[in-house]
Amino acid sequence: MISAPDVVAFTREEELEDELYREPPLPEEYSVPLFPFASHGANPWAKVASSKFTRDFILISEFSEQVGPQPLLTIPDDAKVSGTFDLNYFSLRIMSVDYQASFVGHPPGSAYPKLNFVEDSKVVLGDSKEGAFAYVHHLTLYDLEARGFVRPFCMAYISADEHKIMQQFQELSAEFSKASECLKTGNRKAFANELEKKLKDLDYTRTVLHNETEIQKKANDKGYYTTQAIEKANELASVEKSIIEHQDLLKQIRSYPYRKLKGSDFHPYEPECALDQANMGCDQDLTTSDPTEPGETHLYAHVPSYTPKLIKAKSAKCFDKKLKTLEELCDIYFFTQTLDQLHQIERTFRGDVCYLLTDQISRALLKQQSVTNFLFEDVSFLDEKPPEKQYRGCQGLSQDAVGRKCLEEPPAPKVVISLGSYKSSVESVPIKMEQEMEDSQEPKMTESVTFEHQENLDYLDADIKGSISSGESIEVLGTEKSASGLTKSESQASLPVSPSPQAGRSKVGSRRTVSEDSIEVLSTCPSESLIPEDFKASYPSAINEEPYLDDEEGGLRFTPKLNPDNADEQEDISKQENLMQVDSACCIGKESPNFLEPLPDLGQKPCDEDGVVRIPPQPYRQVEPGLRGSFGGFPSHDGISGGLLPYELDSRYLSGSREVSKSSLDECSDSTSYISSAASTCSDRTPSPALPACQASERHKKKAGQNALRFIRQYPFAHPAIYSLLSGRTLIVLGEEEAIVKKLVTALSIFVPNCGLYAKPVKHWVTSPLHVMDFQKWKLIGLQRTVSPAGVNVLHALSRYSRYVSILDADSKTLRCPLYKGTVVSRLADHRTQIKRGSTYYMHVQSILTQLCSKAFLFTFCHHLHLPISEREPEESVVNRRMNFLKLQLGLANEDIKIVQYLAELLKLQYIQEPGQGANPLLRFDYVPSFLYKI
Amino acid sequence: QKSSVQTIGEEQIQNPYTELVVLKGHQDIVRFLVQIDDCRFASAGDDGIIFLWNAQTGERLFELHGHTHKITAIAPFYSSDDSEEKNHLILTASADRTVIVWDCTSGRQVQKVSCFHSTVKCLTVLQRLDVWLSGGSDLCVWNRKLDLLCKTSHLTDAGISALLELPKNCVAAAVGKELIIFRLVASNDGSEGWNVLEVKRLVDHQDNILSLVSVNDLTFVTGSHVGELIVWDALDWTKQASECNFWDSSVHPDLQPEIKLSQSPNETSVQHLTSDEECVFAAVGKGIYVYNLQMKRVIACQRTAHDSSVLHIEKLPNRQLISCSEDGSVRIWELREKQQLPAEPVPTGFFNMWGFGRANKQANQAAKKMHENTPAYFLELVGDLIGHSSAVQMFLYFGDLGLATCSADHLIILWKDGERESRLRSLTLFQKLAQNRDLQCKF
C-alpha cells in the first residue's frame, strides 16, 4: 500500500508563509484542504449536518402509477440503517426529479407504439434539511400492464457526506450502471416473455372470435350483418391490430441494440443514431419479414406449457389490478444478481470518504508501478474485477435468453481515479474546448496540459454547482448539459477560480451550508432524452438561473491564488527545482564530471514523474509512451529527489521516538483513524471497508501487523531478523509448537519481499530436513524441532547450511544471524513505536518498504551505476560510483545497502525475465559471520 | 580433541562464488560432467540419462535418452577438420554395453554401437588421428563413422580402467596393477586401417592403478590404490621418479598417531591426479598433495583436506586448487609460499621435542627429515562451497562462468560469481530497455 490513512490527516497549508523555507510539498493527492470550520474549534469528524440515519445505504424506489413514489427496499435491509429517516418523503423527492422524458406510446407519424430504449439518468441530489445526499440513478423498466409500458424506478446511494457522493460520482455511476443494466436485461427478458404470452392469448382470442364470427355468418343467411356481428368483427379487428402491435413490440424488445451496451458507461453522449439505426433495422425487419415466419413458430414451441387465455375486449381498470413487483418485473435470477451487486456497492463505498480516496489513489499509483509493485504488494487484486465477472455471467445468460450475439464483451468500466473523477466526467463538455483554445496560445508551456486540466476542472466544478438554482424546494444545481450551456465568462465572473482542485471542492462544502433549500440537484449525468430546452420547458418556473453572487456571505471565500501566468512561472520554478534536485540526486558520483553530459535528458524523467505526483493521478491521459510509461511511473521519486521528505517525516513523526513522544503523529493518526472509523458522523459510522475483493487478505494484513507489532516489542533482536528477511537471507523459525511458529512466521511475512509475481516465498511449517533448494524457494520457513532421530537430521541439515540461513529459535528465544547496523530497519520496527493497531502498523511498514522499493528502482535503472560510461572506464570506478550513489544519494548506511542491492537484484530478475519461460531460481548469499542473539 | 580438518569461518573474502543455481533433472547419482564448448556441458550418471546444460543460464538444453543402464564413461568428440561447421559430438558408454554418439547441436542420437562383450569403462578420443578408443575387457579402435578398425585380444576380465594418450600414437592403459602401452600402427593393406600392438607392460605398481595423468609430452604420472605415485617418461616408458609412501606418517610427524592407526588402504589411494607444468596434484585419501616434478618431492600437502575421500581435484590458472569430496563439500585452496622459511621449522622442532616429552629417536629423525622435506609451500583454504547433501562426484571449472558440481544427491549446482552475474543482469536489463525503446526517447 502506498499510503496509510495516517497520511491523510496531514493538512496542506494553503498559504505558505516563508517561500524560502518551503519544504517540498506533500504530494498533492495526499493533501487534504484545511477543515473549513477548524477556526471554530470544531472536531472535523463531528456531525456537520444532522442526518437521521446512521450509515450510508442504498434505496430503491418506484414511481408507482397507482400510489405515487414509494420506497421498495433498502440495502442493507435493516430498519436501523435508515433510522428515523423518512424514506417515503425522500423517495418522493428523488423520484420527482426524474428527467427522463422517456416517451413510450404512439409517436406522431407512427402507426405502432414504440419502445424507447432510454439511457438511465444519473443525478446527485442534496437535501440539506435532512442532511442527506444521494446519488440517484433513474431507470425505467418495461411492464406490459403499466401505463405506456414503462415503470420508472430509481436506485439511490444515500449518504450524509456530500463530498463522498461528489467525489465518488464516477465510480458510483459506473457501479450503478452495471446494476441497472443487469436489472434491465432481466426486465427485457421478462418483458419478452410476457409479450409472448400475451401474443398467444391474443392469437387464441382471435381464433375464438373468428370461429364465433363464422358461426354467426353461417347462422345468419341474410345479406346484411347484425349489429352483433359487426361488433364481433370490430372486436376481431382490434384483436388483430393488437396482435400486430404486440408483435412489433416483441420485435423491438428483442432487437435491443446490445452493442450500445458495450460503451454505455462511458459514452453517455452517444448520438441517437445508434438507436435510430436499430430502429431502422427494426423497420426493415418489419417490412421484409413475414410475421409468421419460422422464428415465430419456434417461439411458440418454446413455451409449450402455457395455455392461452381468452382476452376480454375491455381490460380491467387500471387501479383494480395489482402491479407486478420488481422481482416479477425482472427475472428472478437477474434480480438477485442485481441485489448482490448493490450489496457489493454498499460494501465498496462504506466508510469514510478519506479512506476511499486514499485507497483509490493507492491502487492507482500501485498500478503504475508495474516494475516494483510485485515486491511487497499483493498485486493480484490489480487484475481481478469480480463484480464484472459476475456481470458477464448474467450478460451471457441474457444473451442466450434473448438469442442475440451482438454483445462480445461486457462493459469494462473505466478504472476511475478518484480526486478529480467526477469532474473528469464532465470533460467532454464544450467549455473545455474553449479552455484549450485559450491555452493553446501559450505553446511554450510544456506542462500546460496537466495544469490546464486542473483549471478546467475547476471551472467545471464551479459550473456544475453554480449554474442553476431555484427558490423553490427543489433546487437543481446543475446538469452537465445545462452546465455546458453556460459561457465561461459567466462562471468565471461568478466564481473565483483557484488552481487546486481541493480548493474547488471545499468551495462546494462551504456553499452547501449556505443553501436553505431542502433538496438540491447537484449534478446530473446526461440522459439521452435530456436536452436543456426540454428541461427548461418542463420546469419553466422552477428554475431560474442565478449567479452565485451571494457566495461571499458564506463562511469561506477562496480567492484565486495564482492567475494562469503565475502558475506558469510556478510550474517553471518547480521544474527547475526538480532539475536541480535531480542534479544532486541522480546517479552521478560527484567525482565523475563527464557524467554530467547526459544529465539534462536524464533529468526529464523524475521531473515528469513529479508531474504525475502533483496532480491527481490520471494515468490514462498522462502516461507518455516514454520511459515512465513502461516503468509504470514512479511517483515516489518525489520523496527522494525532493530532499528525502518521507524520511524526515518518518523520523520526526512516525517512529514515535522520545522527542515527540505523545504528540507524535503516529499516535495522532492512530487515534484519528480510530475516530474516523468509529465515531465519524460526517459520513458514516461503519468501519472503513476493505476492498471487497481482498477482504480476507485485509484481515490477514491486520493480523500479521498485530503479530509483527508484538514481535518487535517482544524480541530485542527483531532488527537483525528483519534485516535477514529484507536482504534475502532465509530466516528459519525453529520451534516445537506449530501454533507459535506459525504465528511468528505470519508476523514476519510482511517483511518478506516477493521474488516473483506469485505467492510470497513463505513456508509456514516444515517437518523434514531442509535442502539447498528450499532456500531458493522459501525466504521464511517455520521448522519443527523434534527430539526424534529425524529431528536430529533436521538440525544437522540446519547446521550444515547455516551460512545460508538465519535461525530464530522460538523456544529458547535466540537468534543466529548476521549483524545489522543500518538505520532502515530501526524505522521499520521501532519497539517504542506508538502504533497500536495492527493494520496501522502494517501500513507503516508498507510505506517504508515502498520507500525502499523506490530506492531500489532508482538504483536498478540508473545506467551508469552498473555499466561503464565509456569503454575504457575501469570497473573499479563504476563500483565506486555505485557505492557513492548508495551511500550519499540514497542515504543508506552499512547493511541497508545490501537490502537495496537485494531488492534491485529482484527487480532486475523480474524485469529481464522472459514471459514464456520461468527463470531458474537462484540463491544469492554472502559469506558473512553470524552472531547469536539472546534475550 | 580438535578436528584435524581445516575449517574456514563464515567469512570468506576470497571466495567469489556468491550465487548458486540448482539444476535438477537427474534421478540418480550424477557422476560425470564434461565440457562441450565455452558455455555448454553435459552431465551423466547412474540413471543413464545425459543432460546438456547451458553453463551461463543454467538452462537445460537437451535430455538425451538412449541408455538403459548407468553411464560408465563419457567423452567429447570434436570434429577435426571440417571447419565450416563445428560439429560437437559426445560419446557415452554405458553398463548396457553400448556406446552412443550424440549430436550436441541437435540433441539427437547419431549412432549406437552395441557389439561389446563387456562394459566399456573408458573412452578416449585421439583427435590427431580422428579415431576413438574404447576400453573394456579389450581395447577397440574406432573411426568417426563408428567402424571398428581393430581391437586387441581379451586382456582381463577386470578390463581397462583408464586410458591415456601418449606421444607417437601410443596409448597407456591401466589394467589392474599393470600399465600396458599400446601403439597404433597404420595397417599395410587398408586405406585408413590401424593395427594396435602391445608394446610394453609396466608392472611397477603394487596395487590397482586408479589414475593416470599426462603432464606434458615427455612425462606422465600414475597413481595406485596403495598410494604409489610414479612419474614416467612418456617416450621410452621408463620410471623417472616414484613416491611410494610419501603420505606415510613417519615422514610427516605432525600427523596424529590415531589417524595413522586407522589408516586403511582406502585412505592412501590416489583417487585423482591433475597437473600443471611444474607440479602434480594428487588427491590421496582425504588429503591433497602437491608433488614438484623438478624437485621430485612433495612441496605442499594438506593431509586431511576433507572429512572423507577427495574424489576430484583440479588446478585453476590462478594458483588455486579446487577439490571435491565424499563429504559433500567443495573446497578452494591456494598454493602459497611459506614466508618465514628458514626460521619457522626450528621452533616447531623444539616444540615437537619438548612437547612430546619423550621424543624417541625415530621422531627425532622424522623431525630432521621433515626439516629437509618441509614443503616450501602450503595449501591455504580460501573458501568452501556447501550445497550438496551427498558426495560431490566431480566438478567442472568454467572460468568466469563459474563452477558446476555434480553429486550423489542427483543435483548439479552451478556456482557463480554474484558480482559478475549482477553486472550481467544489469547489462541485459539495459539491453532490454533499449529494445523496448524505453530509453530512446529519453537518452
Side-chain angles (χ1 to χ4, degrees):
Chain A
M1 192 119 339
I2 302 290
S3 59
D6 312 4
V7 186
V8 175
F10 282 111
T11 53
R12 194 166 65 88
E13 298 287 328
E14 291 289 333
E15 299 292 337
L16 288 161
E17 306 269 312
D18 195 347
E19 288 287 322
L20 289 170
Y21 226 53
R22 213 171 74 171
E23 293 207 348
L26 202 63
E28 194 84 353
E29 71 271 19
Y30 286 124
S31 67
V32 172
L34 280 176
F35 182 60
F37 308 101
S39 52
H40 310 317
N43 175 358
W45 280 273
K47 201 180 263 193
V48 174
S50 54
S51 63
K52 288 172 179 158
F53 49 94
T54 53
R55 55 185 283 193
D56 297 0
F57 64 98
I58 295 172
L59 171 71
I60 301 184
S61 304
E62 183 199 358
F63 199 110
S64 164
E65 60 193 57
Q66 289 171 353
V67 297
Q70 58 169 352
L72 294 181
L73 55 96
T74 61
I75 293 169
D77 195 9
D78 186 357
K80 268 184 278 176
V81 168
S82 51
T84 58
F85 187 66
D86 191 346
L87 289 178
N88 279 311
Y89 177 74
F90 201 74
S91 295
L92 174 69
R93 291 306 179 105
I94 57 179
M95 286 311 284
S96 56
V97 274
D98 182 5
Y99 299 132
Q100 283 193 135
S102 51
F103 180 80
V104 183
H106 294 262
S110 162
Y112 309 118
K114 276 250 187 297
L115 287 179
N116 206 354
F117 299 113
V118 286
E119 297 281 336
D120 300 345
S121 76
K122 299 150 187 181
V123 193
V124 173
L125 289 165
D127 187 337
S128 41
K129 223 178 254 169
E130 294 279 328
F133 297 90
Y135 165 86
V136 186
H137 194 105
H138 291 103
L139 69 154
T140 51
L141 298 179
Y142 302 114
D143 183 356
L144 203 50
E145 286 150 31
R147 192 170 51 196
F149 304 132
V150 286
R151 307 254 308 259
F153 285 89
C154 83
M155 299 181 286
Y157 186 90
I158 302 168
S159 167
D161 186 1
E162 182 195 357
H163 287 207
K164 185 161 162 183
I165 302 287
M166 294 308 271
Q167 279 158 12
Q168 303 294 312
F169 182 83
Q170 198 78 11
E171 290 84 347
L172 281 167
S173 159
E175 292 300 316
F176 273 100
S177 296
K178 279 192 260 171
S180 153
E181 213 48 64
C182 188
L183 212 54
K184 287 197 287 188
T185 310
N187 173 246
R188 278 191 298 275
K189 193 188 161 216
F191 187 60
N193 279 342
E194 207 186 350
L195 274 173
E196 280 167 21
K197 284 182 188 172
K198 184 73 181 271
L199 271 173
K200 274 195 202 170
D201 289 349
L202 287 169
D203 203 46
Y204 177 71
T205 314
R206 182 176 63 179
T207 325
V208 171
L209 281 175
H210 196 263
N211 286 349
E212 281 176 7
T213 329
E214 288 301 310
I215 290 166
Q216 270 188 350
K217 256 191 206 162
K218 270 182 205 153
N220 186 4
D221 307 347
K222 299 168 199 165
Y224 58 94
Y225 296 108
T226 61
T227 47
Q228 219 180 6
I230 290 170
E231 229 169 67
K232 274 274 184 279
N234 280 343
E235 210 174 309
L236 190 61
S238 79
V239 165
E240 248 151 32
K241 185 179 176 236
S242 179
I243 286 178
I244 292 172
E245 276 178 12
H246 280 85
Q247 275 172 348
D248 184 54
L249 280 177
L250 185 62
K251 197 145 262 168
Q252 286 181 46
I253 197 76
R254 289 169 74 207
S255 67
Y256 177 77
Y258 277 100
R259 89 196 91 97
K260 278 185 76 171
L261 257 181
K262 261 196 256 179
S264 62
D265 283 347
F266 339 113
H267 305 299
Y269 286 105
E270 190 182 345
E272 306 233 2
C273 63
L275 193 69
D276 291 345
Q277 273 172 4
N279 284 343
M280 269 171 59
C282 206
D283 293 341
Q284 277 172 0
D285 274 1
L286 261 182
T287 51
T288 52
S289 66
D290 196 302
T292 51
E293 65 183 357
E296 215 77 2
T297 52
H298 167 73
L299 203 123
Y300 284 98
H302 210 61
V303 259
S305 57
Y306 182 69
T307 43
K309 298 183 293 267
L310 186 70
I311 292 176
K312 298 256 171 61
K314 288 205 174 121
S315 59
K317 275 275 184 301
C318 189
F319 288 95
D320 296 344
K321 69 185 177 201
K322 188 181 161 286
L323 284 173
K324 287 196 188 69
T325 62
L326 187 59
E327 209 165 330
E328 287 164 342
L329 269 182
C330 313
D331 189 280
I332 182 75
Y333 171 80
F334 289 96
F335 181 69
T336 45
Q337 284 279 320
T338 312
L339 281 191
D340 286 350
Q341 201 138 12
L342 290 176
H343 275 288
Q344 182 122 28
I345 293 173
E346 195 271 328
R347 273 199 301 274
T348 312
F349 292 95
R350 195 184 283 178
D352 198 279
V353 66
C354 286
Y355 184 89
L356 289 175
L357 285 178
T358 325
D359 195 57
Q360 282 164 1
I361 294 167
S362 299
R363 284 158 68 94
L365 290 177
L366 200 56
K367 207 166 277 188
Q368 292 176 18
Q369 301 176 5
S370 57
V371 173
T372 54
N373 59 14
F374 74 94
L375 278 179
F376 291 106
E377 310 285 347
D378 178 21
V379 286
S380 53
F381 75 86
L382 291 180
D383 310 324
E384 58 186 46
K385 292 194 177 80
E388 208 185 324
K389 263 184 241 156
Q390 188 188 13
Y391 185 60
R392 180 184 301 168
C394 79
Q395 273 298 339
L397 209 143
S398 73
Q399 231 172 295
D400 293 343
V402 194
R404 287 272 159 182
K405 281 191 251 162
C406 314
L407 185 71
E408 264 114 34
E409 52 186 70
K414 183 166 69 175
V415 183
V416 189
I417 290 145
S418 62
L419 281 184
S421 59
Y422 82 90
K423 297 165 198 160
S424 66
S425 74
V426 196
E427 250 177 2
S428 44
V429 166
I431 196 164
K432 186 183 179 201
M433 302 300 290
E434 297 171 28
Q435 201 60 36
E436 263 171 355
M437 274 163 58
E438 199 177 67
D439 283 330
S440 65
Q441 291 164 0
E442 304 149 337
K444 60 179 183 287
M445 195 165 86
T446 49
E447 288 192 302
S448 68
V449 184
T450 59
F451 186 74
E452 154 223 317
H453 176 69
Q454 275 186 30
E455 237 183 339
N456 221 343
L457 290 179
D458 278 304
Y459 285 129
L460 293 167
D461 191 14
D463 290 342
I464 281 178
K465 312 268 154 55
S467 56
I468 314 161
S469 69
S470 80
E472 298 205 9
S473 71
I474 295 175
E475 183 188 15
V476 181
L477 285 177
T479 67
E480 283 176 48
K481 283 210 170 157
S482 61
S484 68
L486 281 173
T487 61
K488 200 188 94 228
S489 60
E490 222 178 329
S491 62
Q492 234 173 353
S494 59
L495 262 183
V497 179
S498 79
S500 109
Q502 273 76 26
R505 233 185 294 133
S506 18
K507 237 177 324 194
V508 184
S510 66
R511 209 159 352 98
R512 279 286 66 69
T513 59
V514 176
S515 157
E516 286 160 23
D517 308 311
S518 61
I519 283 206
E520 305 121 284
V521 178
L522 299 176
S523 84
T524 68
C525 227
S527 70
E528 224 164 22
S529 49
L530 171 71
I531 44 167
E533 286 74 31
D534 286 355
F535 181 75
K536 277 176 186 161
S538 50
Y539 300 93
S541 62
I543 293 149
N544 315 311
E545 300 215 356
E546 179 190 304
Y548 250 92
L549 288 173
D550 54 347
D551 199 43
E552 273 138 294
E553 33 179 282
L556 257 168
R557 184 187 149 87
F558 292 83
T559 48
K561 252 194 343 207
L562 306 160
N563 59 40
D565 294 344
N566 244 336
D568 280 3
E569 274 174 37
Q570 260 240 332
E571 204 70 20
D572 283 346
I573 288 167
S574 71
K575 198 170 160 184
Q576 274 169 11
E577 272 173 8
N578 280 329
L579 273 169
M580 304 266 283
Q581 284 158 359
V582 166
D583 248 337
S584 63
C586 195
C587 33
I588 332 121
K590 293 204 172 62
E591 75 285 349
S592 59
N594 57 345
F595 188 86
L596 284 167
E597 180 191 357
L599 218 178
D601 297 333
L602 215 120
Q604 204 74 22
K605 182 180 75 175
C607 188
D608 278 353
E609 272 144 23
D610 198 31
V612 172
V613 174
R614 257 153 217 282
I615 56 156
Q618 313 246 344
Y620 293 93
R621 235 158 287 145
Q622 279 153 18
V623 166
E624 297 157 27
L627 197 73
R628 201 185 55 241
S630 66
F631 278 5
F634 212 79
S636 336
H637 281 194
D638 197 31
I640 293 165
S641 57
L644 301 171
L645 172 72
Y647 260 107
E648 285 154 29
L649 288 177
D650 266 334
S651 54
R652 223 180 314 145
Y653 303 111
L654 288 176
S655 62
S657 48
R658 270 160 293 174
E659 300 90 83
V660 228
S661 58
K662 277 292 166 188
S663 62
S664 77
L665 182 87
D666 224 87
E667 171 70 357
C668 230
S669 64
D670 220 13
S671 57
T672 52
S673 70
Y674 174 73
I675 288 169
S676 74
S677 58
S680 157
T681 50
C682 178
S683 85
D684 202 336
R685 279 157 217 151
T686 47
S688 285
L691 292 154
C694 47
Q695 235 161 359
S697 76
E698 199 75 19
R699 214 173 300 126
H700 168 79
K701 281 176 192 168
K702 210 168 170 179
K703 207 175 126 209
Q706 196 61 53
N707 286 342
L709 209 49
R710 205 167 297 145
F711 173 76
I712 60 167
R713 288 197 176 122
Q714 249 174 31
Y715 291 83
F717 45 72
H719 290 184
I722 292 168
Y723 163 67
S724 282
L725 292 171
L726 287 176
S727 60
R729 188 180 171 108
T730 302
L731 180 72
I732 290 171
V733 181
L734 187 65
E736 276 175 43
E737 260 184 76
E738 188 173 350
I740 293 174
V741 169
K742 277 190 172 170
K743 206 170 186 178
L744 273 173
V745 170
T746 312
L748 288 166
S749 63
I750 62 173
F751 302 106
V752 181
N754 278 342
C755 297
L757 288 174
Y758 307 106
K760 282 227 165 200
V762 175
K763 182 91 177 162
H764 282 82
W765 189 241
V766 171
T767 54
S768 54
L770 293 171
H771 211 265
V772 88
M773 282 180 293
D774 296 316
F775 310 132
Q776 281 184 331
K777 219 185 301 171
W778 311 114
K779 293 296 172 197
L780 177 59
I781 304 176
L783 184 66
Q784 186 186 33
R785 182 212 300 274
T786 52
V787 280
S788 65
V792 172
N793 277 344
V794 168
L795 292 183
H796 177 75
L798 263 196
S799 71
R800 178 176 179 85
Y801 295 119
S802 62
R803 69 176 55 173
Y804 304 123
V805 294
S806 300
I807 301 166
L808 175 65
D809 192 326
D811 301 329
S812 62
K813 304 235 187 298
T814 59
L815 173 73
R816 194 188 160 281
C817 77
L819 205 62
Y820 174 73
K821 297 194 295 287
T823 54
V824 167
V825 176
S826 53
R827 282 207 313 279
L828 195 63
D830 185 352
H831 66 275
R832 291 186 303 267
T833 181
Q834 305 285 328
I835 297 175
K836 293 193 174 57
R837 285 153 57 97
S839 52
T840 315
Y841 181 68
Y842 182 84
M843 287 171 174
H844 169 64
V845 168
Q846 285 295 57
S847 70
I848 291 193
L849 292 182
T850 306
Q851 278 178 32
L852 275 177
C853 284
S854 64
K855 288 180 184 182
F857 175 86
L858 265 186
F859 176 65
T860 314
F861 287 92
C862 278
H863 181 274
H864 297 332
L865 294 181
H866 304 279
L867 302 173
I869 294 167
S870 68
E871 281 178 23
R872 275 159 298 151
E873 194 184 24
E875 182 59 32
E876 292 84 64
S877 78
V878 179
V879 171
N880 270 339
R881 196 159 53 220
R882 187 155 60 221
M883 289 319 280
N884 268 332
F885 180 77
L886 286 168
K887 279 180 190 155
L888 304 175
Q889 258 76 41
L890 294 186
L892 298 168
N894 304 325
E895 277 77 17
D896 293 340
I897 289 175
K898 282 198 179 146
I899 296 178
V900 169
Q901 279 176 332
Y902 173 68
L903 296 181
E905 217 56 45
L906 290 179
L907 289 181
K908 281 187 217 168
L909 281 169
Q910 178 70 20
Y911 193 85
I912 63 178
Q913 188 189 348
E914 297 296 327
Q917 64 201 54
N920 258 323
L922 49 86
L923 177 67
R924 288 175 67 83
F925 48 90
D926 291 307
Y927 298 104
V928 287
S930 287
F931 295 89
L932 190 70
Y933 293 86
K934 289 177 186 158
I935 281 195
Chain B
Q1 181 194 333
K2 67 155 194 167
S3 167
S4 55
V5 178
Q6 189 182 349
T7 51
I8 184 165
E10 280 167 322
E11 207 164 359
Q12 301 176 9
I13 305 154
Q14 285 177 288
N15 189 343
Y17 301 106
T18 54
E19 193 174 305
L20 64 85
V21 180
V22 177
L23 310 181
K24 284 182 282 185
H26 284 287
Q27 281 137 36
D28 210 333
I29 300 174
V30 192
R31 291 187 189 273
F32 303 101
L33 293 175
V34 63
Q35 185 166 356
I36 296 165
D37 55 22
D38 287 344
C39 66
R40 287 185 299 168
F41 68 96
S43 66
D46 288 3
D47 56 2
I49 310 169
I50 300 117
F51 285 96
L52 297 190
W53 306 92
N54 182 325
Q56 171 59 42
T57 62
E59 189 191 349
R60 185 197 295 178
L61 303 169
F62 294 110
E63 186 175 342
L64 312 177
H65 291 269
H67 289 296
T68 55
H69 288 71
K70 65 178 190 176
I71 309 284
T72 53
I74 182 166
F77 194 5
Y78 308 107
S79 59
S80 48
D81 355 81
D82 359 278
S83 52
E84 72 270 8
E85 197 194 339
K86 263 245 163 184
N87 202 12
H88 294 287
L89 302 175
I90 46 171
L91 304 166
T92 56
S94 159
D96 61 5
R97 298 185 185 179
T98 58
V99 170
I100 298 183
V101 184
W102 307 90
D103 186 342
C104 296
T105 347
S106 64
R108 274 199 304 255
Q109 179 177 327
V110 177
Q111 221 163 345
K112 183 171 183 174
V113 190
S114 48
C115 59
F116 296 97
H117 300 298
S118 67
T119 302
V120 174
K121 288 187 179 157
C122 48
L123 292 167
T124 192
V125 176
L126 307 184
Q127 289 293 351
R128 208 154 33 85
L129 309 176
D130 203 23
V131 295
W132 58 276
L133 284 69
S134 67
S137 60
D138 49 13
L139 183 72
C140 304
V141 181
W142 309 81
N143 69 3
R144 179 173 284 275
K145 294 175 192 124
L146 266 73
D147 303 321
L148 179 62
L149 301 177
C150 58
K151 62 188 275 186
T152 63
S153 56
H154 184 82
L155 295 163
T156 59
D157 285 337
I160 299 167
S161 59
L163 280 172
L164 182 72
E165 183 187 359
L166 297 176
K168 294 191 189 168
N169 294 357
C170 286
V171 175
V175 184
K177 296 174 189 175
E178 293 181 352
L179 194 64
I180 307 177
I181 310 290
F182 294 99
R183 173 171 279 161
L184 270 73
V185 185
S187 63
N188 305 327
D189 54 327
S191 48
E192 57 154 352
W194 293 94
N195 275 331
V196 59
L197 301 173
E198 186 181 320
V199 183
K200 196 166 185 182
R201 280 192 187 229
L202 306 166
V203 288
D204 297 69
H205 276 293
Q206 304 295 311
D207 205 340
N208 289 342
I209 299 167
L210 295 181
S211 46
L212 277 173
V213 68
S214 156
V215 177
N216 50 37
D217 278 352
L218 298 173
T219 37
F220 69 98
V221 182
T222 56
S224 81
H225 191 61
V226 290
E228 302 144 309
L229 183 96
I230 299 177
V231 183
W232 305 91
D233 189 312
L235 297 173
D236 55 8
W237 316 300
T238 54
K239 193 154 94 175
Q240 289 190 332
S242 74
E243 192 77 32
C244 283
N245 42 8
F246 55 91
W247 39 86
D248 197 340
S249 58
S250 59
V251 189
H252 307 286
D254 50 346
L255 197 68
Q256 300 295 315
E258 55 272 0
I259 287 177
K260 183 184 165 192
L261 285 177
S262 67
Q263 213 165 30
S264 68
N266 220 4
E267 293 200 332
T268 59
S269 69
V270 181
Q271 299 281 354
H272 190 245
L273 289 169
T274 186
S275 78
D276 58 10
E277 285 293 311
E278 296 169 22
C279 298
V280 174
F281 304 88
V284 182
K286 296 174 182 175
I288 299 169
Y289 293 82
V290 183
Y291 181 84
N292 190 298
L293 290 167
Q294 224 109 56
M295 292 186 252
K296 296 196 175 171
R297 64 182 181 90
V298 174
I299 56 162
C301 68
Q302 191 69 47
R303 242 156 263 109
T304 43
H306 283 270
D307 283 322
S308 53
S309 295
V310 180
L311 296 177
H312 195 91
I313 55 171
E314 208 164 311
K315 173 76 170 49
L316 308 189
N318 52 357
R319 290 189 78 76
Q320 284 188 344
L321 191 66
I322 298 180
S323 64
C324 68
S325 147
E326 274 177 356
D327 64 6
S329 67
V330 176
R331 294 185 158 209
I332 306 165
W333 308 87
E334 191 163 293
L335 188 62
R336 290 193 183 157
E337 249 174 291
K338 272 195 180 155
Q339 265 144 24
Q340 60 289 63
L341 188 61
E344 204 261 340
V346 181
T348 324
F350 260 100
F351 177 76
N352 272 352
M353 277 200 287
W354 292 108
F356 284 127
R358 240 170 279 139
N360 57 22
K361 209 161 195 166
Q362 197 173 358
N364 234 342
Q365 270 179 348
K368 215 172 182 183
K369 204 169 180 183
M370 184 204 76
H371 202 119
E372 295 160 5
N373 258 6
T374 299
Y377 299 88
F378 67 105
L379 284 170
E380 181 173 325
L381 184 63
V382 295
D384 62 345
L385 308 176
I386 294 175
H388 289 292
S389 56
S390 184
V392 181
Q393 297 288 341
M394 197 180 170
F395 60 86
L396 207 56
Y397 178 70
F398 265 100
D400 279 345
L401 289 191
L403 188 73
T405 58
C406 67
S407 155
D409 63 2
H410 312 178
L411 299 179
I412 298 163
I413 296 184
L414 278 181
W415 303 86
K416 288 160 173 292
D417 180 349
E419 291 279 310
R420 180 177 177 274
E421 294 302 311
S422 172
R423 218 162 43 236
L424 284 177
R425 275 193 286 271
S426 283
L427 192 65
T428 322
L429 178 117
F430 288 110
Q431 276 166 358
K432 190 167 176 182
L433 273 178
Q435 230 174 42
N436 296 355
R437 295 159 166 271
D438 286 335
L439 285 176
Q440 278 165 13
C441 53
K442 294 285 170 192
F443 287 103

